[in-house]
């Protein structure tokens, strides 16, 4: 019996507006509300809502035999609350069926795991809390941003109390091994590792409607055929897709929803296949060996490395400058600053700056609101500069800045006092003039 | 295969964008094994006479024949200079320098910059058209006295010559459009020039445009069927420029440069406005406008009006080695052209390791990845890009490196190869016709 573990990623970044250098220090609002709202509404209507409806139907009709896991980022949830609360409701309905497991990850889909453990832990905790608030589940399995994983990150995740982590079944890591088994972390064997089967996953999410593909058209029967042809001993196939694949990247007209429904019914009916949530897999399947990943991997591009986010000088500068602020952010409790800090970390910003765009363009440009990586970098750095100014005024970096901050504070206080006194003055002046006129009349 | 090429200026008397392109391409073609070029140029400066041959014919036009050898290639290229009364010049300075020499009274000076913008309302009058016709007559004679397979004409002044040669010999004509009247005039079209251009395009067997932008102009404004037009992008000469002038640069100060003619086509006013915006926020930066042109005084006035004259400098026209020096000093080079068929300056800047900001309204933006692209009118975006390049070092570092590599790949040899393929196609097609 082979378990099919189906995972969906739901993520939306907060896109920045065109933030020019004139705005630095003058305007602290960074977001393109129009773009964020229209994009989110569109994705919700073409993908998230109809897909949730389908999954809800499957969960009911297949009598609990259909299982699925979701990895929903904090920034996506924030946007649902702002622009499409009905999506949260439909996820809540799904959660009630008991067929759905929620995974843990960084709140803002950030790269903090690569840089700062304290920030990373903070982010994970914040996400966990949000999931619990909304769906009443405490996640046991962790999925890092963009499937970024290494022995070290795995160890860190294990220490936070997670039982397992999901990552890319990268060829250069697996070698001759198959992704269709459960593995354990090389540094901390208590952490189990799920490997994504990228071939089968991408067949659905990328290639499904590509008429140039030799396997086009892909039918549910064909896909189930591939699953059964796998080695009998292989125990778990991890299919991890972007949720937008249903209805977004693969539009409704391509027949993706029908395909998916037939696939789900076919797997449930099949004697050798079944759906399983990650938690169920952990309970049923024994790990076969250690998987050693000394250098971080991801699920991006051919190389499956970090170069899509941290490949060029610009990305590195932006990344360094961002996390330079983390010690001070650790002490910051200001709500506005914390929110902006979270959204600054979203990995998408770094992705937009990738100069790989020119070579492996297609996938990169699909998600990119900027015309060139240079534009993306300029915009981000301007926002970051403004954020630095705000943080400096709250937590000055050196004596001079401390003094400036103190003076600013005094000026602001005096300003307030002046306006208060002015108001009092005008209030006091009014009755007096009235009195004078009355006196004259007498 | 032998090509009869009607060109324009030619080194040692170096010229603007068109001259550079013409020279680069010819040099590239001379490097190809199966191609011989017979180069015809109007005689320019009068200081290289060697063996003057008088051509018989209606006109007693003195013609000088010289052989030019290109470095690195073994072939010699025959060049014919026609002693025409048209003397091209590039800049005001050139003009005065030329004026100092003696020329016959009827000599006409034509400013050639990128595009031979000619003011017909003035004293030139219809005489210029006559000259062009004379040139065409000589071209006809040259065509009868030489053997060749294809004719190649560069920009409108040489189209009539190309047409005459074609009519005489029946050989296929290729015209090369480096700029159109729409680029030069900014919408104020001279109908005579337009009709010459259009006739050339209609008579041509194939048209080569320097960018998609130019190709579209030819389709939309000259009503030429799209399948007749091929794109061959320009390139940049990779010979390293020497710079002996050793200005020392203030390490703490950044320099942003505009390099080109100060004319409406190049959008200098947008550069000035962007400079003003940047200077409001930044201290240690200077702006340099290098070049000359009819808009220069307007620009100087505007700079004074904005109160940024202490940080904004005009150099006047720069000679080749000064240009190299200017690049060496620059931290950013901006080309905000309103309408630029191609634009070689950014390629030269990139080759010199200077990050560039170019307008989307330039042909060169079609082929460059490692340049910041903006709309020429968007001074906010321009200012923002300048600020970012100066303030955030990694982007400048990246652009320097990637830009140099990218510009290095744009070789005249490649362009020449494309052109030679067009020759072949045209020949095959015309043979079939016959």
């Amino acid at each position: 019996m082979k378990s099919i573990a189906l995972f969906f990623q739901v993520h939306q970044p907060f896109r920045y507006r065109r933030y020019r250098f004139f705005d630095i220090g003058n305007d602290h609002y960074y977001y393109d509300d129009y773009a964020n709202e229209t994009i989110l509404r569109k994705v919700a209507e073409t993908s998230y809502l109809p897909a949730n409806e389908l999954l809800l139907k499957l969960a009911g009709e297949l009598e609990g035999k259909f299982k699925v896991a979701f990895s929903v980022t904090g920034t996506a949830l924030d946007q649902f609350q702002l622009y499409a609360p009905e999506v949260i409701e439909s996820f809540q309905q799904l959660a009630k069926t008991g067929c759905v497991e929620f995974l843990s990850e960084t709140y803002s889909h950030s790269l903090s795991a690569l840089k700062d453990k304290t920030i990373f832990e903070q982010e994970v905790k914040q996400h966990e809390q949000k999931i619990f608030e909304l769906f009443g589940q405490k996640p046991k399995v962790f999925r890092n941003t963009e499937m970024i994983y290494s022995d070290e990150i795995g160890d860190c995740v294990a220490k936070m109390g997670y039982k397992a982590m999901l990552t890319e079944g990268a060829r250069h890591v697996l070698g001759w091994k198959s992704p269709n088994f459960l593995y354990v972390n090389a540094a901390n064997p208590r952490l189990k590792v799920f490997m994504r089967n990228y071939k089968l996953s991408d067949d659905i999410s990328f290639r499904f409607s590509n008429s140039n593909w030799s396997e086009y058209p892909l039918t549910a029967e064909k896909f189930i055929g591939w699953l059964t042809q796998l080695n009998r001993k292989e125990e778990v196939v991890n299919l991890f897709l972007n949720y937008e694949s249903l209805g977004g990247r693969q539009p409704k007209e391509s027949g993706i929803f029908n395909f998916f429904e037939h696939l789900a019914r076919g797997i449930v009916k099949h004697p050798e296949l079944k759906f399983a949530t990650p938690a169920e897999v952990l309970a049923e399947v024994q790990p076969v060996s250690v998987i050693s990943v000394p250098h971080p991997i991801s699920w991006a591009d051919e190389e499956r490395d970090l170069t899509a986010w941290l490949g060029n000088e610009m990305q590195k500068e932006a990344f360094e400058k961002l996390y330079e602020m983390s010690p001070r952010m650790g002490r910051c409790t200001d709500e506005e600053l914390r929110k902006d800090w979270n959204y600054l970390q979203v990995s998408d910003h770094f992705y937009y700056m990738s100069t790989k765009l020119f070579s492996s363009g297609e996938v990169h440009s699909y998600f990119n609101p900027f015309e060139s990586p240079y534009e993306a970098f300029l915009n981000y750095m301007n926002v970051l500069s403004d954020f630095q100014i705000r943080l400096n005024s709250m937590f000055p970096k050196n004596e001079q800045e401390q003094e400036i901050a103190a003076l600013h504070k005094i000026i602001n206080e005096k300003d307030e006092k002046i306006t208060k006194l002015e108001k009092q003055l005008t209030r006091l002046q009014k009755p007096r003039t009235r009195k004078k006129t009355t006196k004259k009349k007498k | 295969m032998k090509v009869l090429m009607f060109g324009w200026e030619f080194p040692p008397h170096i010229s603007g964008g068109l001259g550079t392109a013409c020279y680069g391409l010819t040099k590239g073609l001379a490097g190809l094994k199966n191609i011989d070029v017979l180069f015809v140029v109007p005689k320019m400066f009068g200081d290289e006479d060697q063996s003057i041959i008088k051509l018989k014919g209606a006109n007693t036009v003195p013609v000088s024949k010289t052989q030019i050898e290109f470095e690195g290639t073994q072939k010699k290229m025959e060049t014919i200079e026609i002693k025409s009364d048209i003397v091209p010049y590039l800049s005001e300075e050139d003009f005065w320098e030329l004026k100092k020499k003696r020329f016959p009274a009827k000599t006409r000076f034509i400013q050639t910059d990128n595009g031979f913008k000619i003011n017909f309302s003035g004293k030139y009058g219809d005489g210029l058209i006559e000259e062009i016709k004379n040139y065409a007559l000589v071209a006809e004679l040259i065509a009868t006295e030489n053997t060749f397979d294809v004719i190649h004409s560069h920009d409108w002044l040489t189209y009539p010559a190309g047409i005459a040669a074609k009519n005489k010999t029946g050989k296929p004509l290729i015209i090369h459009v480096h700029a159109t009247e729409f680029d030069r005039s900014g919408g104020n079209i001279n109908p005579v020039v337009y009709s010459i251009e259009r006739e050339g395009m209609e008579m041509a067997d194939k048209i080569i445009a320097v960018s998609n932008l130019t190709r579209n102009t030819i389709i939309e404004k000259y009503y030429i069927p799209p399948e007749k037009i091929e794109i061959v992008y320009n390139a940049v000469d990779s010979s390293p420029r020497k710079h002996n002038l050793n200005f020392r640069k203030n390490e703490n100060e950044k320099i942003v440069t505009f390099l080109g003619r100060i004319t409406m086509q190049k959008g200098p006013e947008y550069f000035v406005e962007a400079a003003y915006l940047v200077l409001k926020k930044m201290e240690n930066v200077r702006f340099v406008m290098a070049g000359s042109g009819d808009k220069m005084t307007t620009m100087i006035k505007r700079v004074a009006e904005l109160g940024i004259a202490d940080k904004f400098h005009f150099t006047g026209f720069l000679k080749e080695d000064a240009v190299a020096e200017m690049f060496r000093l620059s931290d950013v080079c901006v080309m905000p052209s309103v309408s630029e068929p191609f634009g070689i300056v950014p390629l030269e800047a990139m080759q010199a390791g200077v990050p560039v900001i170019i307008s989307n309204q330039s042909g060169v933006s079609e082929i460059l990845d490692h340049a910041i692209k903006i709309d020429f009118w968007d001074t906010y975006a321009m200012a923002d890009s300048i600020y970012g390049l100066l303030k955030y070092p990694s982007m400048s570092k990246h652009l320097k490196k990637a830009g140099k590599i990218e510009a290095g790949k744009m070789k005249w040899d490649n362009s020449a190869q494309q052109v030679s393929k067009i020759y072949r196609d045209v020949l095959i097609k015309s043979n079939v016709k016959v």
Side-chain angles (χ1 to χ4, degrees):
Chain A
M1 197 75 162
K2 235 183 269 308
S3 297
I4 310 297
L6 186 62
F7 302 82
F8 285 117
Q9 160 181 294
V10 181
H11 168 58
Q12 286 296 328
F14 275 92
R15 292 155 200 90
Y16 286 143
R17 68 183 179 88
R18 228 8 84 87
Y19 193 85
R20 302 282 187 218
F21 74 98
F22 324 103
D23 298 325
I24 300 173
N26 295 324
D27 189 341
H28 307 314
Y29 196 75
Y30 310 138
Y31 307 101
D32 187 343
D33 292 336
Y34 178 76
N36 287 329
E37 182 168 355
T38 39
I39 293 173
L40 191 91
R41 289 291 331 171
K42 195 183 159 214
V43 182
E45 273 151 30
T46 56
S47 169
Y48 299 153
L49 287 171
N52 275 357
E53 198 182 325
L54 173 66
L55 297 198
L56 201 61
K57 187 176 113 184
L58 289 173
E61 288 176 14
L62 297 175
E63 293 157 352
K65 283 179 184 158
F66 174 70
K67 309 275 170 58
V68 63
F70 277 105
S71 183
V72 193
T73 65
T75 53
L77 291 169
D78 285 351
Q79 286 200 41
F80 292 144
Q81 285 176 324
L82 276 173
Y83 306 124
E86 67 269 35
V87 176
I88 299 229
E89 278 164 35
S90 74
F91 272 118
Q92 281 167 338
Q93 276 180 321
L94 267 176
K96 271 185 213 151
T97 62
C99 301
V100 177
E101 183 177 332
F102 286 90
L103 304 189
S104 183
E105 65 177 297
T106 56
Y107 189 87
S108 50
H109 203 62
S110 79
L111 305 171
S112 53
L114 297 166
K115 187 71 188 175
D116 194 306
K117 264 187 194 157
T118 334
I119 298 286
F120 178 57
E121 280 171 23
Q122 260 180 18
E123 277 229 281
V124 174
K125 238 174 242 165
Q126 198 185 348
H127 182 260
E128 204 182 79
Q129 210 176 349
K130 185 115 187 169
I131 294 291
F132 187 76
E133 272 168 28
L134 290 173
F135 308 114
Q137 284 194 17
K138 197 168 177 310
K140 294 185 187 66
V141 177
F142 187 82
R143 194 281 305 216
N144 198 17
T145 310
E146 307 288 347
M147 314 294 260
I148 292 170
Y149 174 84
S150 70
D151 294 341
E152 200 190 330
I153 294 169
D155 183 37
C156 181
V157 166
K159 281 181 183 143
M160 285 191 303
Y162 291 100
K163 297 200 164 59
M165 190 166 164
L166 174 71
T167 188
E168 177 75 353
R171 201 178 300 151
H172 73 272
V173 163
L174 281 167
W176 54 268
K177 296 187 197 109
S178 155
N180 307 330
F181 289 102
L182 199 58
Y183 292 88
V184 296
N185 179 283
N188 192 335
R190 264 177 303 175
L191 185 88
K192 315 257 178 16
V193 181
F194 288 84
M195 302 301 261
R196 171 176 180 262
N197 186 316
Y198 66 83
K199 200 240 153 221
L200 290 173
S201 303
D202 291 347
D203 281 344
I204 302 175
S205 60
F206 289 127
R207 290 181 278 270
F208 179 76
S209 63
N210 178 2
S211 53
N212 293 328
W213 179 35
S214 60
E215 298 292 347
Y216 181 86
L218 180 61
T219 60
E221 289 71 37
K222 195 189 267 182
F223 198 83
I224 290 171
W226 290 343
L227 288 173
T228 49
Q229 275 162 27
L230 293 170
N231 192 318
R232 288 187 153 271
K233 283 181 187 158
E234 296 185 322
E235 292 160 304
V236 53
V237 180
N238 302 307
L239 298 177
F240 184 99
L241 320 176
N242 209 326
Y243 204 28
E244 280 167 59
S245 303
L246 306 187
R249 195 176 175 89
Q250 307 301 339
K252 188 178 141 208
E253 294 71 26
S254 70
I256 185 77
F257 288 113
N258 284 334
F259 164 81
F260 197 79
E261 184 173 350
H262 280 101
L263 180 66
R265 290 180 193 280
I267 288 174
V268 168
K269 250 189 256 160
H270 201 280
E272 286 166 34
L273 302 173
K274 65 163 184 176
F275 281 111
T277 63
E280 287 169 354
V281 174
L282 284 179
E284 291 166 12
V285 177
Q286 285 302 309
V288 290
S289 102
V290 162
I291 189 82
S292 165
V293 187
H295 304 293
I297 56 167
S298 79
W299 69 335
D301 305 331
E302 267 315 297
E303 302 89 345
R304 302 292 199 270
D305 60 9
L306 303 177
T307 50
W309 303 276
L310 298 172
N312 64 37
E313 291 99 332
M314 296 184 286
Q315 293 169 314
K316 283 174 194 157
E317 183 186 1
F319 187 69
E320 289 301 320
K321 292 257 162 81
L322 173 69
Y323 284 108
E324 247 171 40
M325 293 186 281
S326 50
R328 282 184 292 161
M329 276 317 294
R331 286 181 278 141
C332 176
T333 50
D334 182 90
E335 215 172 289
E336 278 298 304
L337 269 180
R338 285 222 63 90
K339 195 186 85 194
D340 289 336
W341 164 253
N342 271 339
Y343 299 161
L344 266 171
Q345 292 184 63
V346 179
S347 62
D348 301 59
H349 297 310
F350 299 96
Y351 196 72
Y352 303 150
M353 298 174 204
S354 171
T355 38
K356 289 172 95 180
L357 176 106
F358 300 123
S359 43
S360 73
E362 207 193 323
V363 187
H364 284 245
S365 59
Y366 178 74
F367 303 101
N368 199 335
F370 292 98
E371 267 168 40
S372 80
Y374 305 113
E375 240 174 78
F377 173 77
L378 280 175
N379 214 62
Y380 185 80
M381 290 308 282
N382 287 344
V383 170
L384 193 71
S385 302
D386 183 74
F387 186 81
Q388 278 171 336
I389 291 174
R390 287 165 64 198
L391 186 64
N392 282 352
S393 65
M394 205 166 281
F395 298 100
K397 249 206 279 196
N398 53 38
E399 270 178 38
Q400 201 185 348
E401 278 174 359
Q402 241 160 5
E403 225 165 89
I404 292 171
L407 288 173
H408 261 294
K409 212 176 163 188
I410 292 170
I411 291 171
N412 283 342
E413 280 170 6
K414 292 242 157 118
D415 271 347
E416 266 171 43
K417 213 171 178 181
I418 289 168
T419 45
K420 221 180 184 177
L421 289 173
E422 266 177 352
K423 266 185 201 162
Q424 253 177 1
L425 201 65
T426 44
R427 210 176 49 212
L428 287 172
Q429 273 171 341
K430 271 178 196 163
R432 213 181 273 168
T433 47
R434 246 181 244 156
K435 267 180 196 169
K436 267 181 192 170
T437 48
T438 45
K439 260 181 194 172
K440 267 182 187 172
K441 272 181 186 172
K442 270 180 186 175
Chain B
M1 190 192 313
K2 195 160 181 186
V3 185
L4 176 65
M5 191 173 292
F6 292 104
W8 203 242
E9 313 127 307
F10 208 71
H13 304 288
I14 198 61
S15 50
L18 173 71
T20 317
C22 221
Y23 176 64
L25 182 68
T26 314
K27 194 174 165 183
L29 281 170
L32 297 177
K33 266 186 191 162
N34 50 353
I35 291 195
D36 285 309
V37 182
L38 177 61
F39 205 86
V40 185
V41 285
K43 189 151 154 39
M44 302 187 294
F45 294 88
D47 57 357
E48 64 274 82
D49 298 16
Q50 283 164 2
S51 51
I52 293 182
I53 316 159
K54 294 225 170 181
L55 273 181
K56 289 174 218 157
N59 290 349
T60 49
V61 183
V63 167
S64 76
K65 215 171 189 176
T66 46
Q67 292 211 318
I68 291 182
E69 211 168 331
F70 285 108
E71 272 175 63
T73 57
Q74 270 117 42
K75 272 189 302 184
K76 285 186 177 172
M77 190 179 70
E78 258 185 299
T79 305
I80 297 177
E81 291 180 35
I82 300 169
K83 183 135 187 167
S84 158
D85 288 332
I86 311 168
V87 174
Y89 71 96
L90 183 64
S91 63
E92 307 289 321
E93 285 77 359
D94 269 2
F95 180 65
W96 290 113
E97 213 137 282
L98 282 170
K99 271 266 180 142
K100 280 188 272 181
K101 294 176 192 163
R102 283 201 182 163
F103 286 98
K106 61 172 184 170
T107 302
R108 280 166 240 284
F109 293 93
I110 304 164
Q111 184 163 7
T112 63
D113 5 72
N114 253 353
F116 310 114
K117 187 180 178 180
I118 285 149
N119 185 3
F120 279 97
S121 58
K123 58 187 169 181
Y124 293 141
D126 291 329
L128 178 71
I129 300 299
E130 220 166 86
E131 279 307 324
I132 294 169
K133 280 181 186 154
N134 282 346
Y135 186 55
L137 270 175
V138 183
E140 209 175 284
L141 283 173
I142 293 171
T144 43
E145 302 221 337
N146 292 278
T147 54
F148 51 88
D149 304 297
V150 285
I151 311 159
H152 191 152
S153 284
H154 292 272
D155 260 15
W156 74 275
L157 279 171
T158 65
Y159 294 170
I163 294 170
K166 177 178 175 171
N167 284 340
K168 195 77 190 170
T169 60
K171 301 286 184 197
L173 168 68
I174 289 150
I175 69 159
H176 204 130
V177 185
H178 296 266
T180 66
E181 181 62 8
F182 290 87
D183 302 305
R184 292 185 292 265
S185 66
N188 212 351
I189 304 303
N190 184 318
V192 182
V193 177
Y194 177 84
S195 70
I196 291 176
E197 285 185 328
R198 184 142 175 221
E199 199 192 348
M201 290 174 191
E202 276 171 353
M203 288 296 292
D205 295 82
K206 206 84 192 177
I207 299 167
I208 297 174
V210 290
S211 65
N212 198 29
L213 194 82
T214 305
R215 184 172 183 266
N216 284 339
T217 312
I218 299 171
I219 295 167
E220 283 160 21
K221 303 277 167 69
Y222 295 85
Y223 313 104
I224 301 296
E227 60 273 13
K228 200 168 159 182
I229 315 160
E230 302 273 344
I231 297 170
V232 175
Y233 289 104
N234 285 339
V236 62
D237 218 337
S238 58
S239 61
R241 298 202 190 190
K242 49 183 189 295
H243 42 77
N244 338 329
L245 305 157
N246 269 320
F247 294 123
R248 201 164 322 135
K249 192 187 163 188
N250 183 344
E251 284 300 313
N252 297 320
E253 222 164 41
K254 305 282 187 183
I255 292 180
V256 183
T257 313
F258 168 103
L259 201 125
R261 278 177 300 124
I262 309 179
T263 59
M264 196 219 68
Q265 188 195 345
K266 302 287 179 185
E269 64 267 42
Y270 304 102
F271 181 70
V272 175
E273 299 303 323
Y276 173 63
L277 292 172
V278 173
L279 285 168
K280 275 207 274 192
K281 275 264 183 182
M282 271 183 115
E283 276 285 315
N284 53 344
V285 53
R286 286 182 190 281
F287 290 83
V288 175
M289 192 169 266
S292 58
D294 56 9
K295 281 238 171 187
M296 188 154 162
T297 45
T298 324
M299 290 306 117
I300 294 173
K301 273 188 208 150
R302 181 67 185 148
V303 164
E305 204 176 282
L306 293 169
I308 53 172
D310 57 333
K311 296 274 190 184
F312 199 110
H313 312 277
F314 292 87
T315 65
F317 178 78
L318 294 183
K319 283 259 156 66
E320 200 183 355
D321 46 351
V323 167
E325 188 62 23
M326 197 63 242
F327 281 142
R328 197 178 64 83
L329 293 173
S330 301
D331 296 282
V332 181
C333 184
V334 187
M335 186 184 74
S337 291
V338 174
S339 173
E340 185 76 67
F342 187 77
I344 286 184
V345 171
L347 291 185
E348 290 176 335
M350 284 162 82
Q351 206 176 51
V354 185
V356 296
I357 300 170
I358 57 178
S359 69
N360 288 321
Q361 290 71 25
S362 65
V364 73
S365 72
E366 291 165 21
I367 49 166
L368 288 183
D369 280 336
H370 299 289
I372 298 179
K373 298 174 199 175
I374 45 130
D375 287 318
F376 70 87
W377 44 263
D378 195 350
T379 46
Y380 277 63
M382 200 189 299
D384 201 33
S385 313
I386 294 170
Y387 177 87
L389 274 168
L390 300 181
K391 200 83 179 176
Y392 314 126
S394 60
M395 182 158 75
S396 168
K397 208 170 128 196
H398 180 84
L399 278 171
K400 268 183 196 180
K401 208 170 55 187
K404 207 166 183 169
I405 295 169
E406 191 174 32
K409 281 183 194 153
M410 293 170 190
K411 293 205 171 79
W412 280 115
D413 295 351
N414 302 339
S415 305
Q417 221 125 48
Q418 281 172 278
V419 169
S420 86
K421 189 179 172 293
I422 292 171
Y423 292 158
R424 265 200 309 272
D425 292 349
V426 165
L427 280 176
I428 289 167
K429 218 175 160 192
S430 65
N431 283 346
V432 170
K433 261 187 211 162
V434 170

